[in-house]
Amino acid sequence: MTAPSAPSAPRATSADGARGRTTPPARERRLPLVLRNRAFGAVWLGQVLTQAAVRMFQVGVSWWLVAYAVEGGQGLASGVLMAVSTLPAVALAPVVARAVARIAHRSVLRAAAGVAGAAAAALAAWAWSGDLPLPAAYAAALALAACQAFFDPCLTTSVPELVDDEDIEAATGFELSTQSLAGLGGALLGALIVDRAGVAGLAAGCATAYVTAALLITGVRFRAASPAAPGDGRTPNEHTTTADGGPAAPRTLRRILGELPYVRRILLCFTAANLFTTAVFVVIPLYTRSVLAGGGGTVALLEASLGIGTLVGSFTGARVPGRPTVTGALCLGLMAVALALPGLFAARPVFAGCLAVAGWCVGVVGVRFVALFQRLVPTADKPGFFAVMQAVLGATFPVGSLLFGFAGDHLPAQTLCLVQAAGLVPAACALALLTGRSAPRPATAGGAR
């Protein structure tokens, strides 16, 4: 495995805080990363707002379909929404990879947030003017998901441009915690806003969040990546230069994964698991309405439990001992148990507690494996890799959403919980088998260890 290109030499602190000292004082190092690195903090807050908005929209519209808009076939209607919301991450992966590799990252992030804000504002105006047709809600979900498909991998790729190497894992933890914060926002606001202000109020709130994120990102300057200079002790990446030292042609996504077999097997394991884990977003509104006989407040409680669990897992994942494959296999097994219990015991506290445990597992797995990928994947391949990672992991989302949505119109919601749990067991076993394989040694700034 070739080591990624090393970071550039230390620079003085800039006015926008994008680059700090290589060895900050102990007092400064004790501050959270988002406070001592203002540029990363602003971009991270922008991601919190965008993902909170898209999640709030998904939760709110899903509840609107189940509780207000659709008389029969609520499961399929909700499943179609989730499928539409996850399709862009898969279909646009090659386009996203090229855009992230060729266009300034700040421009990509700002444009994605701005376009999403315009789409949400247009939907809000339509909903306020009269009855909202279902195709319009689906089209808006597709547009917001397409913007997020550009935003998320671009931010992941940008992490080394915003933080020093020793802060990459902390930055990864903050970045992945965004999804859990977004889940909390969607849980506490999405269904409740629909109950009180309808889809118009929901879309207006989303538009406000997107526009605020675009303004935050506009004020941030990213650190430009610089090539290794001769004699500075850094090792050029063989994928970034040719034999004569010139820039190499971009590598295809297939070749990137083809040369990373260990990483590819891990991605396949989690892709199979996601076929069943993503169904929880279809199951929650169905379980709330048919089993718990609850309303928007119950959906909020359940989504909040999942989000809090993921948040805690994102911030504690780096402290969980063990090799990533062992930790991942154990987390998938624990998640299977957590998802099975609501299928056996129909009670609101049981479902909420089990979702919190499942969310914690998701958070831990995300931190451990994305941090691992940040170090294993060569720097020049990261734009393409993180785009294809999002596509590979999301490939089963539309399929899982449609299958579980269709099944939800014919099977009890408790049975769906048991099916989810059973589907995670083979994925956990496959990941556990990878522990015996030799993994590539992580790369450091100065070369392979």
Side-chain angles (χ1 to χ4, degrees), residues 5-8 226-237 240-241:
S5 298
S8 57
S226 58
D232 69 353
R234 290 176 282 149
T235 305
N237 191 311
T240 63
T241 59

PDB file of all heavy atoms in Angstrom, residues 5-8 226-237 240-241:
ATOM      1  N   SER A   5       0.125  11.241   0.142  1.00  0.00           N
ATOM      2  CA  SER A   5       1.021  12.386   0.159  1.00  0.00           C
ATOM      3  C   SER A   5       0.973  13.040   1.520  1.00  0.00           C
ATOM      4  O   SER A   5      -0.079  13.165   2.139  1.00  0.00           O
ATOM      5  CB  SER A   5       0.593  13.407  -0.895  1.00  0.00           C
ATOM      6  OG  SER A   5       0.678  12.834  -2.181  1.00  0.00           O
ATOM      7  N   ALA A   6       2.115  13.490   1.978  1.00  0.00           N
ATOM      8  CA  ALA A   6       2.190  14.107   3.288  1.00  0.00           C
ATOM      9  C   ALA A   6       1.630  15.517   3.248  1.00  0.00           C
ATOM     10  O   ALA A   6       1.589  16.154   2.207  1.00  0.00           O
ATOM     11  CB  ALA A   6       3.654  14.157   3.743  1.00  0.00           C
ATOM     12  N   PRO A   7       1.200  16.027   4.391  1.00  0.00           N
ATOM     13  CA  PRO A   7       0.713  17.396   4.422  1.00  0.00           C
ATOM     14  C   PRO A   7       1.836  18.382   4.189  1.00  0.00           C
ATOM     15  O   PRO A   7       3.003  18.060   4.345  1.00  0.00           O
ATOM     16  CB  PRO A   7       0.118  17.535   5.833  1.00  0.00           C
ATOM     17  CG  PRO A   7       0.837  16.521   6.628  1.00  0.00           C
ATOM     18  CD  PRO A   7       1.119  15.383   5.693  1.00  0.00           C
ATOM     19  N   SER A   8       1.485  19.581   3.816  1.00  0.00           N
ATOM     20  CA  SER A   8       2.496  20.581   3.553  1.00  0.00           C
ATOM     21  C   SER A   8       3.167  21.029   4.831  1.00  0.00           C
ATOM     22  O   SER A   8       2.733  20.736   5.936  1.00  0.00           O
ATOM     23  CB  SER A   8       1.853  21.790   2.860  1.00  0.00           C
ATOM     24  OG  SER A   8       0.813  22.291   3.659  1.00  0.00           O
ATOM     25  N   SER A 226      -0.596  21.218  -1.346  1.00  0.00           N
ATOM     26  CA  SER A 226       0.645  21.492  -2.061  1.00  0.00           C
ATOM     27  C   SER A 226       1.418  20.214  -2.259  1.00  0.00           C
ATOM     28  O   SER A 226       1.462  19.361  -1.369  1.00  0.00           O
ATOM     29  CB  SER A 226       1.503  22.497  -1.290  1.00  0.00           C
ATOM     30  OG  SER A 226       1.795  22.002  -0.003  1.00  0.00           O
ATOM     31  N   PRO A 227       2.082  20.030  -3.412  1.00  0.00           N
ATOM     32  CA  PRO A 227       2.856  18.818  -3.659  1.00  0.00           C
ATOM     33  C   PRO A 227       4.107  18.786  -2.812  1.00  0.00           C
ATOM     34  O   PRO A 227       4.591  19.805  -2.347  1.00  0.00           O
ATOM     35  CB  PRO A 227       3.200  18.908  -5.154  1.00  0.00           C
ATOM     36  CG  PRO A 227       3.179  20.372  -5.443  1.00  0.00           C
ATOM     37  CD  PRO A 227       2.129  20.951  -4.554  1.00  0.00           C
ATOM     38  N   ALA A 228       4.646  17.574  -2.625  1.00  0.00           N
ATOM     39  CA  ALA A 228       5.855  17.426  -1.837  1.00  0.00           C
ATOM     40  C   ALA A 228       7.027  18.015  -2.599  1.00  0.00           C
ATOM     41  O   ALA A 228       7.212  17.783  -3.787  1.00  0.00           O
ATOM     42  CB  ALA A 228       6.110  15.956  -1.529  1.00  0.00           C
ATOM     43  N   ALA A 229       7.851  18.771  -1.889  1.00  0.00           N
ATOM     44  CA  ALA A 229       9.028  19.367  -2.499  1.00  0.00           C
ATOM     45  C   ALA A 229      10.218  18.475  -2.280  1.00  0.00           C
ATOM     46  O   ALA A 229      10.347  17.812  -1.259  1.00  0.00           O
ATOM     47  CB  ALA A 229       9.270  20.750  -1.893  1.00  0.00           C
ATOM     48  N   PRO A 230      11.195  18.420  -3.237  1.00  0.00           N
ATOM     49  CA  PRO A 230      12.366  17.569  -3.070  1.00  0.00           C
ATOM     50  C   PRO A 230      13.160  17.982  -1.851  1.00  0.00           C
ATOM     51  O   PRO A 230      13.394  19.166  -1.607  1.00  0.00           O
ATOM     52  CB  PRO A 230      13.156  17.820  -4.372  1.00  0.00           C
ATOM     53  CG  PRO A 230      12.145  18.336  -5.350  1.00  0.00           C
ATOM     54  CD  PRO A 230      11.159  19.075  -4.546  1.00  0.00           C
ATOM     55  N   GLY A 231      13.558  16.979  -1.083  1.00  0.00           N
ATOM     56  CA  GLY A 231      14.415  17.214   0.052  1.00  0.00           C
ATOM     57  C   GLY A 231      13.709  17.661   1.300  1.00  0.00           C
ATOM     58  O   GLY A 231      14.360  18.015   2.280  1.00  0.00           O
ATOM     59  N   ASP A 232      12.386  17.696   1.322  1.00  0.00           N
ATOM     60  CA  ASP A 232      11.693  18.148   2.531  1.00  0.00           C
ATOM     61  C   ASP A 232      11.293  16.997   3.425  1.00  0.00           C
ATOM     62  O   ASP A 232      10.582  17.185   4.396  1.00  0.00           O
ATOM     63  CB  ASP A 232      10.466  19.001   2.179  1.00  0.00           C
ATOM     64  CG  ASP A 232       9.352  18.189   1.537  1.00  0.00           C
ATOM     65  OD1 ASP A 232       9.575  17.003   1.238  1.00  0.00           O
ATOM     66  OD2 ASP A 232       8.258  18.750   1.325  1.00  0.00           O
ATOM     67  N   GLY A 233      11.686  15.781   3.084  1.00  0.00           N
ATOM     68  CA  GLY A 233      11.417  14.639   3.949  1.00  0.00           C
ATOM     69  C   GLY A 233      10.090  13.992   3.710  1.00  0.00           C
ATOM     70  O   GLY A 233       9.713  13.055   4.400  1.00  0.00           O
ATOM     71  N   ARG A 234       9.300  14.459   2.720  1.00  0.00           N
ATOM     72  CA  ARG A 234       7.994  13.889   2.463  1.00  0.00           C
ATOM     73  C   ARG A 234       8.061  12.980   1.251  1.00  0.00           C
ATOM     74  O   ARG A 234       8.854  13.172   0.342  1.00  0.00           O
ATOM     75  CB  ARG A 234       6.955  15.003   2.238  1.00  0.00           C
ATOM     76  CG  ARG A 234       6.646  15.776   3.499  1.00  0.00           C
ATOM     77  CD  ARG A 234       5.704  16.927   3.223  1.00  0.00           C
ATOM     78  NE  ARG A 234       6.414  18.036   2.619  1.00  0.00           N
ATOM     79  CZ  ARG A 234       5.852  18.879   1.771  1.00  0.00           C
ATOM     80  NH1 ARG A 234       4.600  18.719   1.400  1.00  0.00           N
ATOM     81  NH2 ARG A 234       6.528  19.885   1.259  1.00  0.00           N
ATOM     82  N   THR A 235       7.145  12.024   1.205  1.00  0.00           N
ATOM     83  CA  THR A 235       7.140  11.038   0.135  1.00  0.00           C
ATOM     84  C   THR A 235       6.023  11.329  -0.844  1.00  0.00           C
ATOM     85  O   THR A 235       4.860  11.298  -0.468  1.00  0.00           O
ATOM     86  CB  THR A 235       6.938   9.626   0.718  1.00  0.00           C
ATOM     87  OG1 THR A 235       7.944   9.409   1.684  1.00  0.00           O
ATOM     88  CG2 THR A 235       7.023   8.573  -0.366  1.00  0.00           C
ATOM     89  N   PRO A 236       6.328  11.622  -2.117  1.00  0.00           N
ATOM     90  CA  PRO A 236       5.257  11.843  -3.082  1.00  0.00           C
ATOM     91  C   PRO A 236       4.440  10.580  -3.271  1.00  0.00           C
ATOM     92  O   PRO A 236       4.944   9.477  -3.158  1.00  0.00           O
ATOM     93  CB  PRO A 236       6.009  12.222  -4.368  1.00  0.00           C
ATOM     94  CG  PRO A 236       7.388  12.624  -3.926  1.00  0.00           C
ATOM     95  CD  PRO A 236       7.666  11.795  -2.705  1.00  0.00           C
ATOM     96  N   ASN A 237       3.184  10.754  -3.599  1.00  0.00           N
ATOM     97  CA  ASN A 237       2.299   9.627  -3.835  1.00  0.00           C
ATOM     98  C   ASN A 237       2.446   9.168  -5.272  1.00  0.00           C
ATOM     99  O   ASN A 237       2.387   9.975  -6.196  1.00  0.00           O
ATOM    100  CB  ASN A 237       0.842  10.071  -3.577  1.00  0.00           C
ATOM    101  CG  ASN A 237      -0.104   8.916  -3.549  1.00  0.00           C
ATOM    102  OD1 ASN A 237      -0.095   8.073  -4.434  1.00  0.00           O
ATOM    103  ND2 ASN A 237      -0.950   8.884  -2.524  1.00  0.00           N
ATOM    104  N   THR A 240      -0.205  10.382  -7.675  1.00  0.00           N
ATOM    105  CA  THR A 240      -0.374  11.790  -7.991  1.00  0.00           C
ATOM    106  C   THR A 240       0.636  12.270  -9.015  1.00  0.00           C
ATOM    107  O   THR A 240       0.475  13.356  -9.565  1.00  0.00           O
ATOM    108  CB  THR A 240      -0.244  12.646  -6.720  1.00  0.00           C
ATOM    109  OG1 THR A 240       1.076  12.489  -6.199  1.00  0.00           O
ATOM    110  CG2 THR A 240      -1.248  12.229  -5.669  1.00  0.00           C
ATOM    111  N   THR A 241       1.704  11.495  -9.236  1.00  0.00           N
ATOM    112  CA  THR A 241       2.737  11.918 -10.157  1.00  0.00           C
ATOM    113  C   THR A 241       3.109  10.792 -11.096  1.00  0.00           C
ATOM    114  O   THR A 241       2.924   9.613 -10.792  1.00  0.00           O
ATOM    115  CB  THR A 241       3.998  12.361  -9.391  1.00  0.00           C
ATOM    116  OG1 THR A 241       4.470  11.271  -8.596  1.00  0.00           O
ATOM    117  CG2 THR A 241       3.700  13.544  -8.481  1.00  0.00           C
TER     118      THR A 241
END
